[in-house]
Amino acid sequence: MTAAENVCYTLINVPMDSEPPSEISLKNDLEKGDVKSKTEALKKVIIMILNGEKLPGLLMTIIRFVLPLQDHTIKKLLLVFWEIVPKTTPDGRLLHEMILVCDAYRKDLQHPNEFIRGSTLRFLCKLKEAELLEPLMPAIRACLEHRHSYVRRNAVLAIYTIYRNFEHLIPDAPELIHDFLVNEKDASCKRNAFMMLIHADQDRALDYLSTCIDQVQTFGDILQLVIVELIYKVCHANPSERARFIRCIYNLLQSSSPAVKYEAAGTLVTLSSAPTAIKAAAQCYIDLIIKESDNNVKLIVLDRLIELKEHPAHERVLQDLVMDILRVLSTPDLEVRKKTLQLALDLVSSRNVEELVIVLKKEVIKTNNVSEHEDTDKYRQLLVRTLHSCSVRFPDMAANVIPVLMEFLSDSNEAAAADVLEFVREAIQRFDNLRMLIVEKMLEVFHAIKSVKIYRGALWILGEYCSTKEDIQSVMTEVRRSLGEIPIVESEIKKEAGELKPEEEITVGPVQKLVTEMGTYATQSALSSSRPTKKEEERPPLRGFLLDGDFFVAASLATTLTKIALRYVALVQEKKKQNKESEKRNVTVQPDDPISFMQLTAKNEMNCKEDQFQLSLLAAMGNTQRKEAADPLASKLNKVTQLTGFSDPVYAEAYVHVNQYDIVLDVLVVNQTSDTLQNCTLELATLGDLKLVEKPSPLTLAPHDFANIKANVKVASTENGIIFGNIVYDVSGAASDRNCVVLSDIHIDIMDYIQPATCTDAEFRQMWAEFEWENKVTVNTNIIDLNDYLQHILKSTNMKCLTPEKALSGYCGFMAANLYARSIFGEDALANVSIEKPIQQGPEAPVTGHIRIRAKSQGMALSLGDKINLSQKKTSI
């Protein structure tokens, strides 16, 4: 056994704000103190040993004065002490004092108290010295017959661990445990015994399972989980066994334990691809999602359903369960609802789209009746977008959906109304047969629209698609109704002067701001406007927008009136209403669209074109360039960091493995000297939002020997972090102080935590306005092409470009693009790239401009800015 394997299983955190006690005072307390003093002294000894102190003089004191005590707290602490204290001499021989300790273990294994017996058995699982365990084997075997289940189940674990590490101490362990399992009644004991047989003697485990396979449903959930594990392993190793055990897995789908049902469903999917099996597993997943209250569980099981859907053969089965999947919408969590709607949308077909639309319409109506919740508006948006997608894919459903959704154009929440308006605009363009219905419904809700942005969109739709004389007259009537008494300024002045009748005032409705013919605000007496609240409510919407100073809607109104006036003239042949009509042309190609000539393509542009013949050849051979780029060996070598020099006494290098929320440092330590290095310890510290989980154990390195040390670092947020430290060691036989080798810093790259993501333009603008931290980075690069620079930044930052490709095509000397990414911690990062090509400086002039980064946290904004600064220039290969 090497020193690196001599690890500790118990970690105790203690504040180091006080001076450590001396060995003399500890010895005095352990010898002459009362039980309380001995307890405190023993705790201090344990902490000091964990922190690397050597206290060999206290070993015999503890054996003589503490070990005989029967206090339970003392006994519990002693188990920790014997676990961490060195039990061998430097040359590897067992200490003579441990014979006394071994006798104490034997007495505790025969103690009448079940807690002491059980905790001692748990402790024996951690021992790595066969010489200590050998005298205890009869006592351990005897514990299998103890009356208390706590002792028996820990005895099984102890026998399993000893059999795995030192098989010669108990060679008949599988047979012994099998006989124990047949006669055992306690669920936890049976689970431990069955688990041992799975790993130690799988044939015996199968023999036992075959004798009780019909009673599996009556077992406890912990035993059922282990049975599922065994069936999974056996059936994958030997597919011919599937028919023997698949019925058992079906039965476990009906278990009362959610964990068993989840594992059984996952196992069933891997064992059988039959439609009945897939349907049973999917139904089990759906029941788990609905019945479990934890949203994290719901999301995990939803992901499993989505994975099932990815398989082409399973998709048809899941399509029949769409209505069951929609039951998950009863969950109030928005993320669960979002995933459920997306899954239902992926599974919708012509067979079930009608039922899906009915459910979604009911859900939309429900959101209008419930009390306002912070997620209600967002949920309504999701429903509108889902119905939108259904209507586009299945045009027959549009007629049922449109009347329900158009009611929400008058919604007070502008975001939901904007989604409905977008849907209506696409529907009226796509479906000619529904134009009359949409225009009719739009005229019904036109007067109730509350948002000026929605009002402008509605005006455009009416002006663009009203094609009959009756529709045009209806639009004019609605516009006249929304304007109120005209001319507006004169009617407001008359109203202020009291010239209008009360009935007319109620019809037209006064305002708070009065505008004169000169464009200035007129004074208003507080005495002349009674009941201001009611009058404010009675003001027509378009009149209110205009008097509030929103003249953009006035321009939209003018454009709409012009369109319908010209159309009316063409429809109604009356000479007094003629104007000249302008000849309209359908523009198929915009004048500024770029024209691509392959013969005139520059060399640098040719490089970015993919060789289609080469790609098809690689695909036919089952190989692609993307797979070559994802070579695991190459990526692993790229993450090896050299920590010390080749001439240092100790050479060290680290492989940095990033796994979402934690970082594993696998450090290779090489003794380059001819001396034995003792207590060689890797001491690490962190800078940034990183936290070292545990202190690596010291080890002993023989001359020119090497060892691997692993250290875990927890990551809390997306910030640049630094890990630094040193390696300290003692030279065997030297009298000098400890030697120290300083390690190079390890810089943690935030790119491991940032992933490309997408969002809508509205969400991007909302986040851009809300985020308070901004970092402006000046472009300083040697790249001379605008698009090349943008692609280089995207590759360096793991961000996604939200600006469509068509908007970036062509060449005009400048470029603006929006970028977006999310970290694995849920942090959003936005960036706006504004760059230009200074043509006056010549064709080889580099790109200039700025990149503005916005994030919710300062660390995210600064770290991303640093990353862009470091990677702006493209290095020549």
Side-chain angles (χ1 to χ4, degrees), residues 425-439:
R425 191 169 61 221
E426 184 172 354
I428 201 171
Q429 173 64 27
R430 278 175 175 264
F431 312 128
D432 294 342
N433 57 323
L434 297 179
R435 286 186 180 175
M436 294 293 293
L437 171 67
I438 295 174
V439 170

Side-chain angles (χ1 to χ4, degrees), residues 206-218:
L206 289 173
D207 289 342
Y208 172 75
L209 180 59
S210 61
T211 61
C212 60
I213 198 164
D214 295 330
Q215 290 86 35
V216 165
Q217 281 182 288
T218 63

Side-chain angles (χ1 to χ4, degrees), residues 449-452 455 540-550 553:
I449 295 176
K450 300 180 181 65
S451 169
V452 65
Y455 203 93
L542 183 56
R543 187 185 189 91
F545 297 146
L546 295 175
L547 290 172
D548 286 340
D550 195 328
V553 74

Side-chain angles (χ1 to χ4, degrees), residues 331-339 375 378-379 382:
T331 304
D333 183 70
L334 184 65
E335 190 64 26
V336 175
R337 287 172 160 179
K338 185 176 181 180
K339 280 197 171 188
D375 286 338
K378 294 180 181 177
Y379 180 46
L382 287 175

Side-chain angles (χ1 to χ4, degrees), residues 750-764:
I750 65 167
M751 291 304 104
D752 292 316
Y753 305 102
I754 293 181
Q755 300 168 344
T758 56
C759 66
T760 63
D761 289 341
E763 291 169 344
F764 185 92

